[in-house]
């Protein structure tokens, strides 16, 4: 039976054996308990943002928090007049019985049609959840917000934050609300650029790929392999994926199902794993690689050229000013090495990009 899972976010209960506990989980929980700044989780697609949000939700539920998970990708392309009521309906449904005495004035999501009424609505929600220590609204897939809505929405959140630090009598209601944002868009820019409404009111948490020890913990879920062999497998998986959360699960899942790996000697194991990578990931149709290559296909020649250069240049040629570096980092295609050079994120990406760029018509690379 395969325990490894790659189809979407992991459930903290159902998948607890195959969830790697990341250091960022404790850091974010401590932040929520002690700080008022909103939290921002940034990582490329399929790096575990949603899984982490679910874990945060499950931890906080046990400690007197009201937590609501909101996925903006389900509300994308909505006009403001539809977006605000839908968002507030989700908030209200998510809080359920935590809202007490919903009368005079009562909370009516359908009446929330713009940023001003959103501010009032959230303030009232905070007042009507007396039993709750803090309200935590987790906003996932931030990139799903339409351009028209981005600025007014974040400005509302800024006013909310500022009122929590203000001197009015009702500041406790504003202070009680914490937002956590997650996405693969340039949140750095959003929270640092001079004109951004989120400037200085957020703390950024970037998710790192799994360490070698974390990969080993995950590999210990492999059935019917001896502990020594599990260690060899974990090393090999780490060499290929360098801790990429999705790819690590994918490769371990393939190994778990492979008779050849099960019957292999310690010496031939890495060759068998290599074959699995070739057949199912590099030359199969892997969801993550498809996503990465589609991005490059549609981003234009200069992106392919930038990747080509990083793939083939000597480390000293790789400066911080490399073209498109920031976007390629956000997409999770490249990363910074310990000495700050730009490198491809892992061995699987190196090989797939090599094949992809090799097959591009001349001039595109
Ligand atoms: N903490 C974790 N431990 C183990 N595997 C994980 C973890 N987080 C993510 N993964 C793997 O990555 C995949 C994508 O996770 P997800 O949370 O949907 O990422 P994101 O929201 O960043 O796109 C999961 O299906 C799983 O294979
Ligand atoms: Mg997600």
């Amino acid at each position: 039976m395969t325990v490894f899972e790659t189809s979407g976010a992991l459930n903290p209960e159902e998948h607890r054996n195959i969830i790697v506990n990341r250091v960022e989980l404790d850091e974010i929980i401590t932040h929520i308990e002690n700080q008022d700044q909103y939290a921002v989780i940034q990582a490329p697609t399929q790096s575990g943002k949603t899984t982490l949000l679910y874990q945060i939700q499950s931890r906080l539920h046990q400690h007197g928090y009201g937590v609501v998970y909101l996925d903006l990708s389900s509300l994308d392309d909505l006009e403001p007049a539809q977006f605000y009521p839908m968002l507030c309906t989700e908030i209200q449904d998510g809080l359920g019985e935590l809202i007490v005495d919903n009368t005079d004035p009562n909370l009516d999501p359908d009446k929330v049609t713009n940023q001003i009424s959103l501010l009032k609505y959230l303030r009232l929600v905070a007042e009507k959840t007396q039993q709750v220590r803090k309200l935590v609204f987790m906003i996932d897939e931030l990139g799903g917000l339409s351009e028209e809505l981005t600025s007014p929405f974040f400005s509302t959140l800024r006013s909310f934050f500022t009122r929590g630090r203000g001197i009015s009598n009702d500041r406790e209601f504003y202070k009680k609300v914490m937002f956590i944002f997650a996405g693969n868009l340039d949140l750095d820019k959003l929270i640092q650029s001079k004109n951004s409404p989120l400037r200085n009111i957020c703390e950024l948490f970037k998710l790192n790929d799994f360490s070698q020890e974390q990969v080993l913990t995950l590999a210990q879920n492999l059935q019917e392999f001896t502990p020594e062999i599990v260690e060899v497998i974990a090393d090999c998986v780490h060499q290929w994926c360098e801790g990429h959360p999705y790819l690590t699960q994918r490769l371990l899942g393939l190994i778990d199902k492979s008779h050849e790996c099960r019957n292999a000697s310690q010496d031939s194991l890495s060759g068998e794993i290599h074959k699995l990578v070739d057949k199912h990931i590099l030359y199969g149709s892997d969801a993550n690689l498809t996503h990465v290559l589609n991005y490059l296909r549609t981003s234009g020649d200069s992106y392919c050229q930038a990747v080509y250069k990083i793939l083939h240049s000597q480390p000293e040629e790789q400066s911080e000013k490399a073209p498109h570096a920031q976007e390629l980092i956000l997409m999770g295609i490249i990363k910074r090495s310990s000495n700050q050079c730009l490198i491809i994120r892992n061995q699987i990406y190196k090989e797939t990009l090599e094949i992809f760029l090799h097959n591009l018509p001349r001039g595109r690379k």
Side-chain angles (χ1 to χ4, degrees):
M1 192 190 70
T2 308
V3 294
F4 300 100
E5 182 59 61
T6 52
S7 60
L10 305 180
N11 178 293
E13 276 308 309
E14 193 185 327
H15 300 118
R16 64 178 173 282
N17 293 338
I18 52 155
I19 292 189
V20 169
N21 268 327
R22 318 181 86 140
V23 288
E24 294 84 0
L25 175 61
D26 284 336
E27 284 173 13
I28 295 172
I29 297 282
T30 310
H31 175 88
I32 294 169
E33 283 174 341
N34 301 299
Q35 308 287 330
D36 62 351
Q37 287 199 319
Y38 302 154
V40 171
I41 301 173
Q42 181 168 302
T45 300
Q46 291 179 314
S47 298
K49 298 178 298 295
T50 306
T51 299
L52 187 65
L53 290 177
Y54 290 172
Q55 285 181 288
I56 295 170
Q57 182 170 32
S58 134
R59 280 253 202 124
L60 292 180
H61 260 321
Q62 302 148 14
H63 294 95
Y65 287 83
V67 191
V68 182
Y69 171 83
L70 302 156
D71 179 356
L72 287 197
S73 65
S74 63
L75 302 180
D76 65 353
D77 293 336
L78 288 183
E79 298 287 318
Q82 299 155 327
F83 170 80
Y84 288 113
M86 296 269 286
L87 184 79
C88 295
T89 304
E90 291 204 12
I91 290 179
Q92 205 152 324
D93 291 350
L95 289 172
E97 288 170 3
L98 294 174
I99 297 173
V100 281
D101 183 26
N102 191 10
T103 53
D104 196 25
N106 70 332
L107 290 164
D108 185 353
D110 287 336
K111 294 216 174 96
V112 184
T113 49
N114 58 35
Q115 61 192 103
I116 297 159
S117 45
L118 175 67
L119 190 79
K120 287 191 185 144
Y121 176 87
L122 293 174
R123 145 83 177 72
L124 200 56
V125 168
E127 190 176 335
K128 287 184 180 293
T129 47
Q130 291 98 330
Q131 317 292 339
V132 171
R133 261 170 76 183
K134 233 177 195 179
L135 289 170
V136 181
F137 297 131
M138 309 198 295
I139 305 199
D140 200 1
E141 301 291 348
L142 208 55
L145 206 60
S146 72
E147 257 176 51
E148 187 188 4
L149 272 164
T150 305
S151 180
F153 181 65
F154 288 132
S155 300
T156 311
L157 303 188
R158 181 168 198 94
S159 330
F160 210 85
F161 179 86
T162 323
R163 285 166 196 230
R165 286 203 175 165
I167 50 164
S168 71
N169 295 339
D170 62 351
R171 81 181 259 255
E172 62 179 294
F173 297 126
Y174 295 98
K175 253 179 101 66
K176 187 170 146 180
V177 177
M178 156 76 79
F179 288 89
I180 307 181
F181 309 106
N184 64 349
L185 74 172
D186 200 345
L187 297 168
D188 247 345
K189 216 173 178 176
L190 200 62
I191 64 179
Q192 277 168 15
S193 78
K194 261 213 263 143
N195 303 325
S196 164
L198 293 185
R199 178 175 39 90
N200 299 338
I201 65 165
C202 293
E203 172 96 13
L204 183 64
F205 297 88
K206 291 190 179 180
L207 295 190
N208 288 317
D209 286 343
F210 302 152
S211 65
Q212 196 147 356
E213 296 77 60
Q214 287 174 319
V215 174
L216 177 60
T217 317
L218 204 51
Q220 278 155 352
N221 288 285
L222 285 165
Q223 317 279 313
E224 298 159 34
F225 285 96
T226 64
E228 296 75 42
I229 293 287
V230 167
E231 274 193 39
V232 176
I233 292 176
D235 282 351
C236 197
V237 169
H238 190 260
Q239 275 166 26
W240 278 110
C241 311
E242 290 177 47
H244 185 298
Y246 162 94
L247 288 177
T248 304
Q249 290 265 3
R250 175 94 212 275
L251 187 49
L252 283 170
L254 291 169
I255 294 168
D256 196 39
K257 279 193 277 185
S258 156
H259 293 293
E260 289 76 11
C261 285
R262 234 165 256 287
N263 298 328
S265 66
Q266 193 155 331
D267 293 340
S268 59
L269 200 50
S270 80
E272 291 302 335
I273 294 176
H274 195 153
K275 283 188 210 157
L276 289 177
V277 171
D278 274 353
K279 180 167 174 209
H280 298 278
I281 303 183
L282 295 178
Y283 295 99
S285 56
D286 179 80
N288 183 266
L289 295 191
T290 305
H291 170 76
V292 164
L293 298 182
N294 272 345
Y295 165 80
L296 283 179
R297 241 176 237 122
T298 51
S299 295
D301 297 353
S302 59
Y303 285 76
C304 295
Q305 282 151 8
V307 172
Y308 185 88
K309 225 174 145 202
I310 291 166
L311 198 56
H312 293 281
S313 350
Q314 300 302 314
E316 58 269 22
E317 288 174 41
Q318 298 162 358
S319 80
E320 252 186 275
K321 296 198 181 71
H324 309 306
Q326 183 59 12
E327 283 148 282
L328 293 168
I329 289 176
L330 287 171
M331 274 305 291
I333 297 175
I334 62 171
K335 63 181 179 185
R336 285 193 197 287
S337 64
S338 48
N339 56 354
Q340 295 302 307
C341 286
L342 293 172
I343 52 173
I344 304 293
R345 186 169 171 197
N346 55 57
Q347 188 60 28
I348 289 184
Y349 280 12
K350 272 185 211 158
E351 301 217 358
T352 203
L353 290 167
E354 192 75 68
I355 301 164
F356 171 75
L357 294 170
H358 180 80
N359 291 332
L360 276 185
R362 256 176 194 287
R364 284 212 61 189
K365 56 193 172 206

